[in-house]
């Protein structure tokens, strides 16, 4: 049976890829997981997997740097959230790729390609990595965005990658934070106080110690019979309470 390891610094992304691979390729055995490129190189040396799924951007040794060290010891598969420009570079190289977030239909296409490649000796990836680095230098070297662009949230047993601009509001209780979009609600464990530091303050306003609201989702502000200020959210029945300390945000409205 073919074997593989998964290297990604985010546990939820490793779990999602493992689950998707189990569905798309039941015969594939995931024999190890790594949190960074150094661990991935070490596992390849110890376990000698047929496939190595490498997230491109990891702390310490990146996926690109790990791929160079792995060479022809394992068939490298990059896991990437990069746009079509970058994907074209992968297509021209001797390296396969999986897009984030992992979609079952797209993964099946990748699995079919990998099965064919496993019938051939692994190509040494160093030349391909060098060529890709020159094409993607700005993307690979650039720092992560200053503010969160995606939220990883759970819906039942599934992990969803939600663009932050699609989120109407966040609301926390003692254990979880609810992530509300126009179509569904998901849950995360990160509290509002941490999200407030990581989200773009021009897009999300904190209106309560437990609530963040997307500015573009605000329909208006009203008062109830108790004199509380409440934010009305477009397309939603909820009204979100505004704490006194955040009322200054609405003086212009």
């Amino acid at each position: 049976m073919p074997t593989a390891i998964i290297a990604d610094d985010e546990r939820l992304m490793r779990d999602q890829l493992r689950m998707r691979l189990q569905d798309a390729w039941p015969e594939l055995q995931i024999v190890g997981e790594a949190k960074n490129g150094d661990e991935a190189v070490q596992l390849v040396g110890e376990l000698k997997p047929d496939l190595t799924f490498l997230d491109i951007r990891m702390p310490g040794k990146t996926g690109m740097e790990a791929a160079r060290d792995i060479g022809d010891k394992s068939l490298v598969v990059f896991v990437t959230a990069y746009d079509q420009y970058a994907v074209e570079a992968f297509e021209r190289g001797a390296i396969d790729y999986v897009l984030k977030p992992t979609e079952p239909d797209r993964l099946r296409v990748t699995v079919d390609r990998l099965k064919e490649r496993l019938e051939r000796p692994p190509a040494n990836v160093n030349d391909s990595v060098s060529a890709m680095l020159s094409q993607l230098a700005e993307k690979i070297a650039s720092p992560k965005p200053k503010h969160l662009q995606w939220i990883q949230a759970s819906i039942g047993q599934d992990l969803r990658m939600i663009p932050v601009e699609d989120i109407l509001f966040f609301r926390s209780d003692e254990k979880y934070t609810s992530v509300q979009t126009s179509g569904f609600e998901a849950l995360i464990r990160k509290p509002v106080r941490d999200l407030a530091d990581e989200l773009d303050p021009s897009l999300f306003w904190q209106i309560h110690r437990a609530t963040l609201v997307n500015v573009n989702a605000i329909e208006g502000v009203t008062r109830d019979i108790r004199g509380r200020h409440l934010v009305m959210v477009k397309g939603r029945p909820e009204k979100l309470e505004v704490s006194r300390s955040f009322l200054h945000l609405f003086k212009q409205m």
Side-chain angles (χ1 to χ4, degrees):
M1 288 186 179
T3 58
I5 66 169
I6 297 172
D8 195 306
D9 60 313
E10 298 181 61
R11 182 187 61 79
L12 287 175
M13 295 308 300
R14 297 197 304 271
D15 291 345
Q16 187 203 45
L17 181 56
R18 175 190 285 269
M19 180 180 65
R20 295 283 191 250
L21 283 169
Q22 287 174 345
D23 291 339
W25 197 353
E27 300 83 9
L28 181 66
Q29 293 184 328
I30 308 299
V31 294
E33 295 185 6
K35 299 186 294 295
N36 54 56
D38 292 303
E39 289 184 7
V41 173
Q42 181 179 350
L43 282 179
V44 168
E46 294 174 355
L47 302 177
K48 298 177 173 53
D50 299 303
L51 300 167
T52 299
F53 291 87
L54 288 173
D55 184 24
I56 285 185
R57 179 176 281 153
M58 292 184 287
K61 184 171 291 186
T62 68
M64 287 286 191
E65 293 166 338
R68 283 176 162 167
D69 290 344
I70 291 169
D72 60 0
K73 299 182 183 71
S74 180
L75 178 58
V76 169
V77 185
F78 279 126
V79 182
T80 175
Y82 292 139
D83 61 15
Q84 185 60 37
Y85 171 82
V87 170
E88 290 174 0
F90 285 103
E91 293 280 16
R92 288 194 293 269
I95 303 170
D96 272 294
Y97 64 92
V98 173
L99 291 176
K100 287 184 179 181
T102 310
E103 296 294 339
D105 291 342
R106 179 63 185 82
L107 183 59
R108 279 190 282 270
V109 174
T110 301
V111 165
D112 290 340
R113 185 188 301 129
L114 291 174
K115 288 179 179 178
E116 292 180 6
R117 292 202 176 198
L118 283 177
E119 297 177 0
R120 308 192 299 267
N124 191 305
V125 301
N126 289 327
D127 291 341
S128 294
V129 168
S130 296
M132 290 166 62
L133 276 173
S134 64
Q135 296 175 49
L136 304 176
E138 293 185 2
K139 292 179 180 289
I140 301 301
S142 61
K144 290 188 176 182
K146 181 178 179 181
H147 303 296
L148 285 178
Q149 305 297 307
W150 300 80
I151 294 292
Q152 298 176 22
S154 298
I155 303 178
Q157 298 300 314
D158 292 334
L159 175 72
R160 294 285 293 270
M161 296 289 288
I162 310 171
V164 294
E165 61 266 21
D166 292 348
I167 298 170
L168 303 178
F169 60 85
F170 297 90
R171 191 158 53 179
S172 291
D173 59 19
E174 293 182 358
K175 189 173 182 181
Y176 293 100
T177 296
S178 168
V179 181
Q180 184 66 60
T181 73
S182 60
F184 59 86
E185 179 187 30
L187 296 175
I188 59 175
R189 289 185 178 273
K190 182 173 293 189
V192 157
R193 65 176 179 272
D194 292 343
L195 287 167
D197 293 333
E198 298 177 13
L199 291 164
D200 184 349
S202 67
L203 180 61
F204 282 91
W205 287 358
Q206 184 168 8
I207 61 172
H208 188 278
R209 63 181 177 80
T211 310
L212 288 162
V213 63
N214 188 325
V215 174
N216 298 321
I218 296 175
E219 186 172 38
V221 181
T222 186
R223 284 190 181 186
D224 64 7
I225 59 174
R226 295 166 55 188
R228 297 180 305 171
H229 288 76
L230 304 174
V231 167
M232 297 178 290
V233 180
K234 295 175 182 176
R236 299 294 305 176
E238 297 96 338
K239 290 183 174 63
L240 309 176
E241 182 178 356
V242 183
S243 297
R244 287 185 178 181
S245 55
F246 297 106
L247 282 176
H248 66 278
L249 296 170
F250 302 94
K251 291 201 180 287
Q252 58 188 334
M253 298 183 68

